[in-house]
Amino acid sequence: MQRDQLADFLRRRREGIRPAEVGLAGGPRRRTTGLRREEVAMLAGMSVDYVVRLEQGRSSQPSTQLLGALARALRLSDDEREHLFHLAGHRPQPADGVARLARAGLIRMLELLGDTPALVLSDLGEILAQNRAAVLLTGDHTGLSGDRRYVVHRWFTEPAVRAVCPPEEQEHRARQFVADLRAAAGRRSGDPEVAGLVDRLRAASADFRRLWAEHEVAVRRADRKTLLHARVGRLLMDCETLVTPDQGQRLLVLTPADAETRERLELLLVLGIEEFPTGTPVNEPTP
């Protein structure tokens, strides 16, 4: 671990970020153009004391989880994130692990979209980041672990997930999930992560086995779907998907397809998240 170099790198990256880039107000009384240590701590979900010790070269070796949180908070590029891991004495995470950190540019786009629901997903449908509007629309799915982090796995193994989709659309949605996974499996031939996910789905779901055997292939680009939201009712949403050049991550943007949906979405944004009743089902986004 290169403590002095790590401390210098983190301090310079913090000082180089404008508050507006991470959704914070600058204010006339700020003494620095960059972020404060307490702001980095808040964004990364760690203590201010630990951020101070990192920047002073007095910390213990940070875990890969903490490094990932710092990389997101500081909006590091892929190269900067890899450098961060090296300075902390860790090997950079393998390709599939790096993909679980949403790209800094996509995070910025989430913020710029404001009240338009948007999510960043991996090519296997793991939700990596959401803006506030997306959380209100679909629930927060960024903290899931194991196979539950994949939308396709929840769809085929948790009946409650399908309940937010109208019955007449469920077969079509299921086919879309499987065709998209089939496309990812083709691109990542021999990847144990993909092969293991497919094997576990085949073992867990007869419906998945049936659709997988049909060998349909289709990458999700644009779509229109109906969401049955527990608080504001039926929503007809247009879904536009932007894919990164390496096809490892995608930005999913959801916009109202009609005036009634627009009004209901505006109501949801006003109501906020605090009033969700305990146990209320939420919608699952389609990757």
Side-chain angles (χ1 to χ4, degrees):
M1 177 177 172
Q2 304 175 55
R3 282 186 172 83
D4 290 343
Q5 291 295 318
L6 176 64
D8 183 69
F9 180 67
L10 289 174
R11 185 172 58 253
R12 289 179 183 275
R13 293 288 79 74
R14 173 177 62 81
E15 293 172 351
I17 297 179
R18 292 174 299 176
E21 293 182 67
V22 294
L24 299 175
R29 298 184 179 180
R30 293 186 71 96
R31 297 177 181 177
T32 176
T33 57
L35 296 180
R36 301 186 179 103
R37 290 190 179 101
E38 56 266 30
E39 292 169 336
V40 172
M42 176 192 68
L43 293 169
M46 60 184 64
S47 71
V48 178
D49 178 66
Y50 191 68
V51 173
V52 171
R53 286 188 283 118
L54 277 170
E55 289 196 2
Q56 293 179 348
R58 300 186 294 108
S59 71
S60 58
Q61 184 183 35
S63 67
T64 56
Q65 290 80 9
L66 283 177
L67 292 174
L70 282 168
R72 289 190 293 271
L74 296 173
R75 301 300 194 263
L76 299 187
S77 67
D78 293 344
D79 291 336
E80 290 171 331
R81 182 166 52 214
E82 182 173 334
H83 184 61
L84 175 68
F85 273 76
H86 281 304
L87 292 179
H90 290 287
R91 293 182 61 183
Q93 295 173 321
D96 62 307
V98 171
R100 293 189 187 117
L101 298 175
R103 295 190 177 194
L106 296 181
I107 293 289
R108 293 190 186 101
M109 291 183 72
L110 288 184
E111 297 163 353
L112 290 172
L113 285 165
D115 288 342
T116 300
L119 313 92
V120 180
L121 305 103
S122 73
D123 61 341
L124 297 183
E126 179 186 2
I127 298 174
L128 307 176
Q130 302 169 259
N131 62 10
R132 175 181 178 272
V135 171
L136 291 172
L137 183 65
T138 69
D140 188 349
H141 301 287
T142 57
L144 300 178
S145 60
D147 283 337
R148 294 201 70 240
R149 68 180 186 266
Y150 303 114
V151 178
V152 61
H153 194 277
R154 295 198 300 276
W155 176 269
F156 284 101
T157 61
E158 301 179 23
V161 171
R162 295 195 179 205
V164 300
C165 177
E168 65 273 13
E169 295 184 13
Q170 290 183 11
E171 173 70 12
H172 175 65
R173 189 84 62 85
R175 287 182 176 276
Q176 289 179 321
F177 277 123
V178 175
D180 190 69
L181 180 58
R182 175 71 79 171
R187 289 192 305 271
R188 295 170 58 173
S189 178
D191 188 324
E193 182 185 15
V194 184
L197 175 59
V198 171
D199 288 344
R200 292 189 296 274
L201 276 168
R202 292 179 67 185
S205 170
D207 198 25
F208 179 84
R209 289 196 300 273
R210 171 180 64 86
L211 295 174
W212 187 257
E214 296 185 15
H215 210 124
E216 295 181 0
V217 182
V219 177
R220 300 298 304 279
R221 304 292 187 189
D223 191 19
R224 175 172 289 185
K225 66 179 179 179
T226 303
L227 303 177
L228 304 179
H229 198 280
R231 301 179 71 194
V232 296
R234 195 179 187 94
L235 300 169
L236 185 63
M237 306 294 295
D238 283 327
C239 311
E240 189 68 38
T241 304
L242 306 178
V243 182
T244 57
D246 64 0
Q247 300 189 59
Q249 295 186 11
R250 58 189 72 176
L251 177 69
L252 175 64
V253 182
L254 301 101
T255 55
D258 57 30
E260 183 177 8
T261 296
R262 185 177 302 106
E263 292 176 358
R264 291 182 178 184
L265 183 60
E266 290 173 354
L267 173 61
L268 182 62
L269 293 170
V270 170
L271 291 175
I273 201 168
E274 293 81 5
E275 299 177 15
F276 268 117
T278 302
T280 298
V282 292
N283 298 290
E284 292 283 345
T286 301

